[in-house]
Amino acid sequence: MKILTQTDDFAVYHFPHDNSRHHIVAFSNAFGGATRQEITAKGFLEKLGVGFSVVEHGDKDHWWTVACIDEAISNLKENLVGREIVTYGFSMGGYGALRFAARLEAKRAVAFAPQDTITPSEAPFETRWAWQAQEIGAVVPPARNFFSRDTEYYVTFDPSDIDLFHIRRMLEFRDRCKTFNVLPFWFAGHAVAASLKGAGVLSYLAKGLLTFDDSSVRLAQDLYRQYRRSSPSAAMIAQAARSLGRKHKQRSLFRIVRSNMDKLKREASAEDLIAVYFALRDNEGMEDALPFVLQVASYEPDNSRFACHAADALLYFGRREEARSALERFVGTSADDGWFKTLWARVSGP
């Protein structure tokens, strides 16, 4: 292993393989940063038996806007002369895989749930990383602006997620690509890679896309469809509920939540449970929604926002003392502002 570039913002790790004409360049995703215990995807990429490099970001999710990144990519390219390059990444890493494919003269770019950009003026629908966009303080260049007619693009995403809007932006520029291929995996959520791993199909899909094995890609698609129909995870059920809620398909929403109530309560994460709560709340389903928000508040008792949601739901049913109990531990803390003050006034007044 060689370190081709190392700065405070990112590093480029290089794992050459003399007997492989393929070389994979992976970009790290925004979760983990400097706390990540291992180089992104290193274990998986080693199993493929090909050379690979990893562009690993530091402790700031900068969406590859930092100084020297273009120079580092050019330096990496000089070390890959004669290789058939595939770029690879998830989320912010997927953005990097799309953005730098042309610079590396990659034959293929493989991106899981990528963004086209997170800059609000460019993509106003994208609010998940608004604070990071503000922190970056510069335009995150749209990935689609860097598409190349010499590269095949493969994008894996969940059409029920906000990521769909990024894919639509990219499709507007597909004539700039050799090919632009979309691989939809319904209800996998933004964490599509984790959902596919939970379904036991990620290794087939990633291996197929990265090593040009179309049969493995088709197998992954078939296995996922079977999994989604026969034994969907709690996260997938929550994503389906979120999608149905946005479309105000109340009957289907209530049916899927009620028929999977026990599984959701037993297996869903706090993030998934609050998503189900919002979907029900916004579709006149407060009676069904209440147990979910109370469970979320019990999962993360130090989260003032969850406590506010729980109190708000309890007040809807006139359960004032319970709402007061949910809020009182946050009085006088940094949470004691805005919405919290309004709720506290309702539970502590005459």
Side-chain angles (χ1 to χ4, degrees):
M1 188 267 282
K2 301 177 184 177
I3 301 178
L4 298 182
T5 303
Q6 188 153 33
T7 73
D8 291 340
D9 296 309
F10 69 95
V12 180
Y13 302 100
H14 186 53
F15 299 81
H17 192 297
D18 293 338
N19 298 322
S20 171
R21 78 176 189 277
H22 294 131
H23 192 93
I24 298 166
V25 178
F27 292 82
S28 63
N29 56 282
F31 308 110
T35 64
R36 194 175 278 115
Q37 297 300 308
E38 187 181 46
I39 295 173
T40 296
K42 177 176 177 288
F44 167 69
L45 294 173
E46 285 176 331
K47 295 176 183 177
L48 296 180
V50 300
F52 66 94
S53 303
V54 178
V55 185
E56 187 85 66
H57 77 292
D59 59 1
K60 179 181 179 182
D61 298 333
H62 46 59
W63 258 263
W64 316 110
T65 58
V66 290
C68 302
I69 186 65
D70 290 324
E71 180 183 343
I73 296 298
S74 296
N75 179 47
L76 173 58
K77 179 183 173 184
E78 292 174 5
N79 284 268
L80 300 177
V81 174
R83 303 294 182 185
E84 204 167 71
I85 300 170
V86 179
T87 59
Y88 173 55
F90 160 65
S91 193
M92 186 182 83
Y95 166 80
L98 297 176
R99 176 177 166 182
F100 295 111
R103 176 66 64 87
L104 289 163
E105 296 183 4
K107 179 175 182 180
R108 176 175 289 187
V110 176
F112 286 72
Q115 300 75 40
D116 185 44
T117 176
I118 63 168
T119 302
S121 59
E122 288 276 348
F125 58 83
E126 181 55 88
T127 58
R128 293 171 293 183
W129 296 283
W131 65 275
Q132 289 181 357
Q134 185 175 9
E135 210 173 60
I136 290 169
V139 172
V140 175
R144 65 183 189 173
N145 291 354
F146 299 89
F147 285 170
S148 166
R149 290 186 176 87
D150 296 321
T151 302
E152 303 170 346
Y153 295 84
Y154 284 80
V155 177
T156 296
F157 72 107
D158 173 9
S160 73
D161 193 78
I162 290 174
D163 291 331
L164 171 66
F165 298 101
H166 289 286
I167 307 309
R168 286 177 174 171
R169 279 177 55 89
M170 295 176 196
L171 283 168
E172 293 174 358
F173 281 40
R174 60 186 166 188
D175 61 335
R176 299 187 181 185
C177 311
K178 184 175 183 179
T179 61
F180 190 90
N181 307 278
V182 294
L183 300 173
F185 286 84
W186 280 91
F187 308 130
H190 177 65
V192 60
S195 294
L196 295 177
K197 184 176 182 179
V201 303
L202 178 62
S203 59
Y204 295 112
L205 180 63
K207 175 179 179 293
L209 291 172
L210 296 174
T211 62
F212 304 89
D213 180 1
D214 292 341
S215 63
S216 289
V217 175
R218 289 193 296 271
L219 176 60
Q221 291 172 310
D222 290 341
L223 290 175
Y224 183 80
R225 279 192 289 266
Q226 294 173 25
Y227 178 83
R228 181 164 64 87
R229 291 167 183 162
S230 62
S231 54
S233 67
M236 291 169 62
I237 296 166
Q239 181 68 10
R242 181 189 287 115
S243 177
L244 291 167
R246 283 200 299 263
K247 297 174 182 176
H248 299 291
K249 295 186 175 181
Q250 294 176 321
R251 184 175 298 178
S252 296
L253 170 63
F254 295 148
R255 183 175 66 249
I256 195 172
V257 170
R258 289 168 182 170
S259 62
N260 291 282
M261 184 76 75
D262 291 340
K263 186 169 190 173
L264 285 167
K265 288 184 176 181
R266 186 175 63 250
E267 300 176 14
S269 66
E271 181 181 345
D272 290 332
L273 290 172
I274 201 68
V276 175
Y277 165 71
F278 289 147
L280 292 168
R281 182 200 65 183
D282 296 343
N283 284 274
E284 302 176 7
M286 280 299 291
E287 191 169 339
D288 289 285
L290 181 61
F292 289 104
V293 74
L294 294 181
Q295 187 168 342
V296 168
S298 70
Y299 277 175
E300 298 193 20
D302 294 327
N303 189 312
S304 62
R305 293 296 91 185
F306 287 165
C308 285
H309 283 300
D312 195 38
L314 288 164
L315 284 169
Y316 178 88
F317 292 101
R319 294 161 62 172
R320 184 174 169 184
E321 287 304 314
E322 291 172 82
R324 178 186 174 90
S325 178
L327 296 174
E328 58 188 353
R329 63 177 304 193
F330 298 102
V331 175
T333 70
S334 58
D336 191 355
D337 63 1
W339 186 31
F340 181 92
K341 284 185 178 296
T342 300
L343 290 169
W344 183 247
R346 290 176 63 190
V347 300
S348 58

